[in-house]
């Protein structure tokens, strides 16, 4: 499925159920946060090693796939309602991050961008 197809299917799904009136930016953002929380819950008490292996358990793997799909669906709906081109916005943000985190300063480091330059000067 292409990205635009997903966006249209989600819009049609909402419209067919007369849900577009509930799909306000506020409600969609809250639903997105809730679904992200459900994804986080799967990983909450796992060790780093266990978290890397979640897809090895078919039951947990299905939960992860479903929660990821829910997060994506609400993100796509929110972008659609706000008329945001997610792919373009993502490309723009990647350019911003490339400037904030130049390879020569950020490689192998998890520091926030404002600390990279301070520690390297």
């Amino acid at each position: 499925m292409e990205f635009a197809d997903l966006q249209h299917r989600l819009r049609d799904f909402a419209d067919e159920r007369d849900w577009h009136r509930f799909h306000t930016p506020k409600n969609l953002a809250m639903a997105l946060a809730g679904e992200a929380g459900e994804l986080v819950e799967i990983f909450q008490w796992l060790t780093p090693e266990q978290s890397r292996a979640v897809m090895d358990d078919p039951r947990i793997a299905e939960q992860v796939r479903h929660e990821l799909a829910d997060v994506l669906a609400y993100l796509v709906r929110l972008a659609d309602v706000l008329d945001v081109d997610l792919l373009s916005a993502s490309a723009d943000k990647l350019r911003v991050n490339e400037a904030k985190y130049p390879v020569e300063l950020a490689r192998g480091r998890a520091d926030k961008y404002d600390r990279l330059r301070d520690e390297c000067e």
Side-chain angles (χ1 to χ4, degrees), residues 25-35:
K26 176 195 76 75
N27 287 353
L28 290 167
M30 291 175 67
L32 174 60
E35 293 300 338

Side-chain angles (χ1 to χ4, degrees), residues 4 14 22-24 36 44 48-49 59 61 65 72 83 86 105 110:
F22 305 118
H23 284 193
T24 64
Q44 185 171 11
E49 295 76 23
R59 186 183 57 80
R65 285 191 301 274
L72 178 62
D83 197 27
L86 273 177
L105 297 179

Side-chain angles (χ1 to χ4, degrees), residues 15-100:
D15 286 346
E16 289 166 357
R17 288 155 182 80
D18 195 27
W19 287 353
H20 61 277
R21 59 193 170 133
F22 305 118
H23 284 193
T24 64
K26 176 195 76 75
N27 287 353
L28 290 167
M30 291 175 67
L32 174 60
E35 293 300 338
E38 290 180 18
L39 179 62
V40 168
E41 185 179 22
I42 295 169
F43 294 92
Q44 185 171 11
W45 301 113
L46 301 181
T47 66
E49 295 76 23
Q50 289 170 324
S51 72
R52 287 185 197 94
V54 293
M55 301 309 282
D56 296 341
D57 179 326
R59 186 183 57 80
I60 297 173
E62 181 178 50
Q63 290 175 334
V64 169
R65 285 191 301 274
H66 286 180
E67 296 308 334
L68 285 169
D70 287 342
V71 167
L72 178 62
Y74 280 118
L75 179 63
V76 170
R77 276 299 292 144
L78 179 58
D80 189 34
V81 166
L82 294 173
D83 197 27
V84 171
D85 179 334
L86 273 177
L87 296 179
S88 176
S90 295
D92 291 345
K93 182 60 176 177
L94 183 55
R95 281 190 290 278
V96 168
N97 286 342
E98 287 169 339
K100 284 183 177 179

